[in-house]
Amino acid sequence: MKKAFIFDLDGVIVDTAKYHFKAWQKLADSLGISFSEEQNEQLKGVSRVQSLEKILEWGNKTISEEKFSQLMSEKNTEYLTYISEMDASEILPDVPRILEYLILEKQAIALGSASKNARAILEKVQLYDKFNTIVDGTNVSKAKPDPEVFLLGAKGLGISPENCIVFEDSVAGIKAANIANMISIGIGNQEVLHEADYIFKDFTEIKEEFINQLVTAKKV
């Protein structure tokens, strides 16, 4: 039986949250806004526009549209300088093992990420060719928890939503998978991701037997 396995990127395949944090923190500092790692957690799975809106809200600041666009561009440039140095050593533990097993079992694999830099990152860490289809921030108009990114991934693979399994590290991503009627697997903190169908600390906890179970399982 063929299923679609859809992976988020940031915090699931690689940990780029630290680079987003550095870039957002530099931007916030330039505006005189304090920005913590806890606040950065709230930006997981959120678009760049919404992230900047949240930071301005936290700092009780208003800026012109022109300045808003300028800051978004500056943040992305800063972020790109960090990810330009990435390599395969930054892939999170056991992600390659799971991808290789899915390929061996002839399962369909997609990326479903809000990041507009997803393709560049996959190239950097040498995983680009592992995915049958890639949906990123350049393909979607609605941010998670809207399920658009995952539904496009399913469509690209030619597999119905109820036969899709999503790996996510954000609350918004888990909600999006659930709304799409897909099996949701949280990667990270159990308390934070409690809405997921299954939760694992990371991929080291996921065994091949579990993948086999998912292939025969259906979303209720």
Side-chain angles (χ1 to χ4, degrees):
M1 194 171 181
K2 193 161 187 172
K3 293 289 182 75
F5 289 80
I6 306 175
F7 293 75
D8 178 40
L9 179 67
D10 299 342
V12 174
I13 294 174
V14 291
D15 180 18
T16 51
K18 60 192 174 191
Y19 301 135
H20 282 296
F21 176 59
K22 282 183 177 182
W24 281 127
Q25 192 173 48
K26 186 173 180 180
L27 181 150
D29 284 346
S30 74
L31 294 169
I33 300 171
S34 62
F35 180 65
S36 67
E37 288 192 49
E38 289 73 27
Q39 286 171 317
N40 191 57
E41 284 292 309
Q42 294 181 49
L43 304 185
K44 277 187 176 180
V46 174
S47 71
R48 203 183 309 159
V49 171
Q50 288 177 308
S51 294
L52 181 50
E53 285 171 349
K54 277 180 175 287
I55 289 169
L56 291 170
E57 191 180 316
W58 290 329
N60 198 25
K61 298 267 184 184
T62 53
I63 58 174
S64 68
E65 276 187 40
E66 187 182 355
K67 179 70 172 173
F68 191 97
S69 297
Q70 179 197 329
L71 287 174
M72 278 209 305
S73 177
E74 286 176 7
K75 184 269 173 184
N76 195 49
T77 301
E78 184 75 13
Y79 174 67
L80 288 173
T81 63
Y82 296 127
I83 67 171
S84 68
E85 302 298 320
M86 290 180 76
D87 58 33
S89 69
E90 299 214 40
I91 301 169
L92 291 171
D94 271 13
V95 169
R97 174 179 64 85
I98 296 298
L99 288 173
E100 290 300 336
Y101 186 72
L102 291 172
I103 292 166
L104 184 70
E105 293 296 307
K106 296 181 169 55
Q107 296 301 312
I109 308 172
L111 187 88
S113 170
S115 172
K116 290 185 176 178
N117 303 301
R119 286 175 169 83
I121 292 170
L122 288 178
E123 290 275 15
K124 284 283 179 186
V125 301
Q126 297 163 38
L127 287 179
Y128 191 92
D129 63 349
K130 306 294 182 190
F131 294 85
N132 303 113
T133 193
I134 294 171
V135 181
D136 65 12
T138 65
N139 307 119
V140 297
S141 58
K142 298 166 188 168
K144 300 168 189 174
D146 189 284
E148 181 186 27
V149 66
F150 298 142
L151 292 172
L152 284 174
K155 187 178 179 182
L157 295 171
I159 294 177
S160 60
E162 65 270 18
N163 286 316
C164 294
I165 296 100
V166 172
F167 295 97
E168 258 288 354
D169 74 316
S170 72
V171 173
I174 294 298
K175 285 181 185 292
N178 290 340
I179 291 167
N181 197 35
M182 299 176 178
I183 291 175
S184 56
I185 300 178
I187 303 294
N189 188 308
Q190 189 158 357
E191 289 180 18
V192 175
L193 304 173
H194 59 87
E195 290 181 45
D197 293 315
Y198 304 94
I199 305 165
F200 298 93
K201 177 174 64 72
D202 57 33
F203 283 93
T204 64
E205 294 186 346
I206 299 179
K207 306 303 176 194
E208 283 79 358
E209 293 78 11
F210 176 69
I211 298 294
N212 294 342
Q213 289 169 22
L214 291 173
V215 171
T216 58
K218 260 210 164 177
K219 180 82 173 177
V220 178

